[in-house]
């Protein structure tokens, strides 16, 4: 187990403070990370240790050198398993999108680095082409396995899926195991109250995490008989306000009375001139990485307590996926078009296959507001059972 140390200090005013830190050596250089929360730091330490254990080489592994080796391997296959046009296509992708990175040391590449690399190109290129870039880069990296690396950070069945914004899900969610009470308990293990409310908003409305983080007081319509969240914006990866992810993203979604009351109490605790709900101490939008770390901590607790398995790979999206699945399971939505409108999703076929078809039943359900008030009992959760 990597040793996390503690640092304590006393400021000029006499105020005492402490933080946890971890030092490690990577690529011949000493580095240090710290956090006031030990559990949050431990998550980052685990990632670093995994990356360090993956690297076997003590010298830099050249991107350009690895690419040359890959092209030589590919040329040897011409006329046997591939044709020359295939290599030209891969080389064009490499020349335009990978080589401009410079002759980087492949030892510095992590799974998070891969996601960031793909995300930076997302606004300029379509998903199918992004996937081709991903796999060309993966093939170039993988020529060094097993001599220089044990595993690849380019994990197609998990990491590309995370980078592309798509969900990798298991078959059906077991709602006896993953009940609303379990979701409630999971969120209760999250230490930050604002992050708790972001996750509750995702559960209650099925909105995307980026949409919940962009929520403002003006977006919450609580004076009508049926309270609702007016989704008009989301956050991009730079934490800047942008339009919703799809052209169907602008929508009004009903909020349960319990969550409305909790949101009102929270808003009353905010400065009067603060419009956006979920800001940190620096008056900036809460960081997605912090949300993921807090959720990972909560997931470890509930998985250990009930021996539960995750039902989706993209962590903060699990609440949106759980809600959409539960709506289909309960028969609240039996029409893919209506469910897609509620989710702000333009892919009707995906919504049908992922939710409607998977949980299809015959139901006679109440209105959406009655349904949420009955099922989403944030003030009095149902009894949790193992």
């Amino acid at each position: 187990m990597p040793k996390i140390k503690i640092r304590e200090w006393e400021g000029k005013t006499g105020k005492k403070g402490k933080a946890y830190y971890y030092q490690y050596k990577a690529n011949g250089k000493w580095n240090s990370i710290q956090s006031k929360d030990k559990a949050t730091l431990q998550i980052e330490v685990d990632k670093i240790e995994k990356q360090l254990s993956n690297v076997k080489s003590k010298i830099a592994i050249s991107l350009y050198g690895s690419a040359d080796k890959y092209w030589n391997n590919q040329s040897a296959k011409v006329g046997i398993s591939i044709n020359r046009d295939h290599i030209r296509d891969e080389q064009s992708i490499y020349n335009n999108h990978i080589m401009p990175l410079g002759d980087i040391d492949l030892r510095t590449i992590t799974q998070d680095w891969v996601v960031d690399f793909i995300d930076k190109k997302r606004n300029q290129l379509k998903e199918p082409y992004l996937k081709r870039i991903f796999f060309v880069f993966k093939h170039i990296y993988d020529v060094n396995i097993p001599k220089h690396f044990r595993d690849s950070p380019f994990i197609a069945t998990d990491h590309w899926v995370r980078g592309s914004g798509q969900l990798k899900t298991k078959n059906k969610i077991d709602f006896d195991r993953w009940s609303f009470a379990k979701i409630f308990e999971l969120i209760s293990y999250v230490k930050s109250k604002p992050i708790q409310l972001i996750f509750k908003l995702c559960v209650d409305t099925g909105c995307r995490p980026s949409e919940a983080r962009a929520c403002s007081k003006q977006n919450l319509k609580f004076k009508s008989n049926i309270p609702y969240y007016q989704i008009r914006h989301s956050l991009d990866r730079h934490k800047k306000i942008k339009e919703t992810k799809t052209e169907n993203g602008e929508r009004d979604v009903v909020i349960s009375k319990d969550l409305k009351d909790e949101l009102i109490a929270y808003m009353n605790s905010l400065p009067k001139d603060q419009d956006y709900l979920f800001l940190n101490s620096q008056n900036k939008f809460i960081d997605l990485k912090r949300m993921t770390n807090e959720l990972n901590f909560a997931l470890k607790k509930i998985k250990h307590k009930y021996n539960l398995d995750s039902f989706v790979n993209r962590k903060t999206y699990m609440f949106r996926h759980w809600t959409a699945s539960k709506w289909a399971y309960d028969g609240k939505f039996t029409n893919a078009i209506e469910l897609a409108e509620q989710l702000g999703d333009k892919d009707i076929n995906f919504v049908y296959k992922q939710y409607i078809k998977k949980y299809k039943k015959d139901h006679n359900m109440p209105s959406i507001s009655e349904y949420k008030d009955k099922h989403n009992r944030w003030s009095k959760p149902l009894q949790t059972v193992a």
Side-chain angles (χ1 to χ4, degrees):
M1 176 70 72
K3 188 169 183 180
I4 293 177
K5 299 179 181 179
I6 189 169
R7 181 171 69 89
E8 298 179 316
W9 66 88
E10 183 174 329
K12 293 181 180 179
T13 61
K15 186 177 181 180
K16 295 182 179 180
K18 70 175 182 178
Y20 298 92
Y21 70 98
Y22 168 69
Q23 293 178 308
Y24 64 98
K25 193 174 184 179
N27 304 329
K29 296 180 181 179
W30 280 100
N31 303 273
S32 178
I33 58 172
Q34 73 171 25
S35 172
K36 291 183 179 180
D37 182 69
K38 188 176 182 179
T40 300
L41 181 63
Q42 185 64 59
I43 292 170
E44 293 303 307
V45 169
D46 290 345
K47 289 181 182 179
I48 292 169
E49 288 294 311
K50 182 179 179 182
Q51 171 64 12
L52 292 177
S53 66
N54 184 53
V55 177
K56 299 165 72 174
S57 176
K58 293 184 179 180
I59 61 173
I61 306 301
S62 163
L63 168 62
Y64 292 171
S66 300
D68 289 341
K69 184 177 180 180
Y70 177 65
W71 303 133
N72 289 335
N73 293 345
Q74 289 294 80
S75 296
K77 299 176 184 177
V78 172
I80 302 174
S81 58
I82 61 174
N83 58 45
R84 183 67 63 183
D85 288 340
H86 178 80
I87 296 180
R88 290 196 188 99
D89 185 47
E90 287 191 320
Q91 287 179 329
S92 175
I93 290 173
Y94 169 77
N95 291 337
N96 287 297
H97 301 287
I98 300 173
M99 189 172 69
L101 291 169
D103 195 14
I104 59 176
D105 182 355
L106 296 185
R107 296 179 303 166
T108 63
I109 292 181
T110 64
Q111 290 186 354
D112 288 339
W113 187 97
V114 175
V115 168
D116 289 340
F117 168 73
I118 294 295
D119 279 347
K120 288 175 183 177
K121 297 182 176 293
R122 177 145 292 111
N123 293 332
Q124 307 145 19
L125 304 169
K126 293 183 179 180
E127 293 294 327
Y129 193 71
L130 282 172
K131 199 167 187 178
R132 292 167 68 190
I133 296 172
F134 171 89
F135 279 107
V136 171
F137 209 156
K138 170 181 167 59
H139 296 326
I140 291 171
Y141 182 98
D142 288 358
V143 298
N144 298 292
I145 296 173
K147 185 177 180 180
H148 298 304
F149 302 114
R150 291 183 173 84
D151 295 300
S152 175
F154 295 81
I155 302 174
T157 57
D158 179 31
H159 221 104
W160 163 255
V161 173
R162 273 206 299 136
S164 69
Q166 296 298 317
L167 291 166
K168 176 191 174 188
T169 62
K170 298 183 179 179
N171 292 325
K172 288 186 177 182
I173 298 174
D174 184 347
F175 288 109
D176 289 330
R177 300 277 286 154
W178 276 108
S179 62
F180 176 79
K182 290 279 178 43
I183 294 291
F184 182 101
E185 184 175 352
L186 170 65
I187 295 175
S188 73
Y189 292 141
V190 172
K191 296 179 180 180
S192 165
K193 179 62 176 179
I195 295 177
Q196 281 190 8
L197 286 173
I198 290 174
F199 291 153
K200 287 182 179 182
L201 196 57
C202 291
V203 173
D204 212 73
T205 67
C207 70
R208 299 176 178 87
S210 60
E211 294 168 342
R213 292 166 67 207
C215 181
S216 70
K217 294 176 181 177
Q218 297 177 21
N219 295 138
L220 296 174
K221 307 299 181 181
F222 289 163
K223 292 184 179 180
S224 61
N225 292 331
I226 299 176
Y228 64 95
Y229 173 29
Q230 193 178 59
I231 299 176
R232 295 295 182 267
H233 301 94
S234 64
L235 285 186
D236 64 15
R237 61 189 180 88
H238 301 295
K239 296 193 283 187
K240 303 293 185 183
I241 291 291
K242 66 169 186 174
E243 295 180 348
T244 53
K245 184 176 181 180
T246 70
E247 57 193 31
N248 298 330
E250 290 194 6
R251 61 203 187 278
D252 297 341
V253 288
V254 172
I255 291 178
S256 64
K257 291 180 180 178
D258 274 6
L259 185 57
K260 179 200 77 170
D261 294 340
E262 198 166 342
L263 285 168
I264 289 175
Y266 172 73
M267 287 190 293
N268 288 338
S269 70
L270 300 177
K272 291 184 179 180
D273 59 349
Q274 179 179 322
D275 187 31
Y276 292 105
L277 268 63
F278 306 119
L279 304 179
N280 60 23
S281 57
Q282 283 76 44
N283 211 35
K284 296 180 180 179
F285 289 104
I286 290 176
D287 188 65
L288 183 60
K289 187 175 183 180
R290 181 187 171 195
M291 289 170 53
T292 303
N293 287 342
E294 292 233 13
L295 181 56
N296 282 337
F297 173 78
L299 279 167
K300 281 185 178 180
K301 291 196 68 171
I302 201 165
K303 285 180 181 179
H304 177 74
K305 184 175 180 179
Y306 298 110
N307 192 28
L308 288 170
D309 290 326
S310 294
F311 52 83
V312 65
N313 72 310
R314 196 175 184 193
K315 296 292 176 63
T316 56
Y317 260 70
M318 69 175 290
F319 300 115
R320 172 178 165 86
H321 177 63
W322 182 89
T323 295
S325 300
K326 190 69 163 61
W327 284 344
Y329 174 81
D330 287 338
K332 179 59 246 166
F333 290 96
T334 57
N335 183 299
I337 296 176
E338 293 178 353
L339 179 54
E341 288 176 349
Q342 187 73 17
L343 295 172
D345 201 316
K346 64 180 180 180
D347 192 340
I348 307 299
N349 290 329
F350 172 80
V351 171
Y352 175 75
K353 291 177 182 178
Q354 184 74 354
Y355 303 114
I356 302 296
K357 183 179 180 180
K358 190 181 290 186
Y359 297 101
K360 192 171 185 179
K361 294 179 182 180
D362 292 325
H363 291 276
N364 181 20
M365 293 297 294
S367 69
I368 186 68
S369 61
E370 293 173 321
Y371 173 86
K372 289 187 178 183
D373 289 342
K374 177 182 178 181
H375 291 274
N376 296 1
R377 302 296 297 277
W378 297 108
S379 60
K380 296 179 181 179
L382 303 175
Q383 181 65 38
T384 299
V385 294

